[in-house]
Amino acid sequence: MNVKIATEWNPLISSEFQKPYFTQLAQFVRSEYNQHTCYPKGKEIFAAFEHCSPQKAKVVIIGQDPYHGPGQANGLCFSVKQGTAHPPSLVNIFKEIEQDIGQPYPENGDLQRWAEQGVLLLNAVLTVRARQPGSHQNKGWELFTDAVIQKLSAQQKGLIFMLWGGFAKKKAALIDPERHFILRAGHPSPLSANRGYWFGNKHFSQANELLQRQGLDGIQW
């Protein structure tokens, strides 16, 4: 596995790469990519770390695993490549932004523009086999991304964690609420959103208010 991340991450997570679980995980991922179609592309597996350094991070959004359809996943949670149709969860994210802060619904679903402003778009599992959601769960990725969350919590201050849905909300146990802000809502998937658990959460305006209170620029959502 060719690990490509911003060098600023090395002090936080390089030790994870030396642990037995990560060696086994790397072997599994290589085997999967050699034998099956998997997403995202190998060079994009660590895109969340490539585009947002820990020092620049302001907001952390936690997803579950990458999109499993062709041409969708780009290594950033909830994000798709430019020109790709927006999956339902991303549609609902953009609709909430539109309602919350009046930002027009965008044509481009690539959220790299958020990452470059300091939004860490972190899936708990960084790879998936094509058309098989959850196929790379419980192989070691969760150990790695949980360690990332814990170390960010311990070493940074004032981060805004957006936890959407039951899976993400469980990650609150890894975060020090005395040091950081935790915003919780239902998942933006249609099943949750149509039951009233997503729309109206106002996370995007809340995040910018919390950033501005700390003397930081808000995110251009």
Side-chain angles (χ1 to χ4, degrees):
M1 198 186 308
N2 292 320
V3 177
K4 183 180 180 183
I5 62 173
T7 56
E8 293 92 341
W9 283 100
N10 287 336
L12 269 77
I13 61 176
S14 60
S15 62
E16 296 299 312
F17 300 144
Q18 314 304 320
K19 294 182 179 179
Y21 86 84
F22 198 89
T23 300
Q24 295 173 4
L25 170 63
Q27 292 171 348
F28 167 77
V29 171
R30 285 194 196 98
S31 175
E32 284 287 292
Y33 273 70
N34 285 334
Q35 297 181 51
H36 306 280
T37 299
C38 296
Y39 303 118
K41 292 180 180 178
K43 65 181 181 180
E44 296 174 335
I45 291 173
F46 291 90
F49 302 92
E50 181 183 352
H51 296 299
C52 181
S53 69
Q55 292 81 5
K56 190 170 68 173
K58 301 175 181 178
V59 178
V60 181
I61 299 177
I62 299 173
Q64 195 156 356
D65 58 0
Y67 296 122
H68 55 88
Q72 292 181 304
N74 66 357
L76 306 173
C77 73
F78 295 105
S79 174
V80 293
K81 297 179 180 181
Q82 185 170 2
T84 302
H86 300 174
S89 291
L90 185 59
V91 169
N92 286 338
I93 288 170
F94 286 151
K95 284 182 177 179
E96 173 60 23
I97 291 171
E98 194 171 22
Q99 294 175 15
D100 183 15
I101 61 175
Q103 178 79 19
Y105 190 102
E107 293 183 10
N108 184 3
D110 188 342
L111 303 182
Q112 184 176 326
R113 60 186 182 273
W114 293 4
E116 291 172 349
Q117 296 177 72
V119 182
L120 182 65
L121 295 160
L122 182 65
N123 276 316
V125 176
L126 301 189
T127 57
V128 69
R129 193 186 293 185
R131 297 182 176 85
Q132 295 187 36
S135 51
H136 288 186
Q137 291 178 7
N138 301 315
K139 303 296 183 181
W141 279 129
E142 295 92 340
L143 295 173
F144 174 70
T145 53
D146 280 0
V148 171
I149 295 166
Q150 286 179 308
K151 291 179 182 183
L152 279 173
S153 173
Q155 298 185 31
Q156 305 291 91
K157 196 169 183 182
L159 294 174
I160 301 160
F161 288 85
M162 295 184 177
L163 308 182
W164 301 338
F167 176 86
K169 288 176 184 176
K170 292 177 182 177
K171 303 298 181 182
L174 307 171
I175 303 162
D176 183 350
E178 300 297 318
R179 296 175 62 86
H180 304 283
F181 305 96
I182 301 175
L183 304 180
R184 298 173 175 86
H187 196 275
S189 67
L191 181 64
S192 175
N194 293 339
R195 291 177 175 175
Y197 301 134
W198 168 254
F199 290 114
N201 63 63
K202 298 188 181 298
H203 278 191
F204 305 97
S205 59
Q206 287 184 61
N208 281 352
E209 288 170 9
L210 291 169
L211 290 171
Q212 288 160 8
R213 276 192 226 163
Q214 299 178 73
L216 300 171
D217 291 334
I219 305 297
Q220 296 296 317
W221 300 108

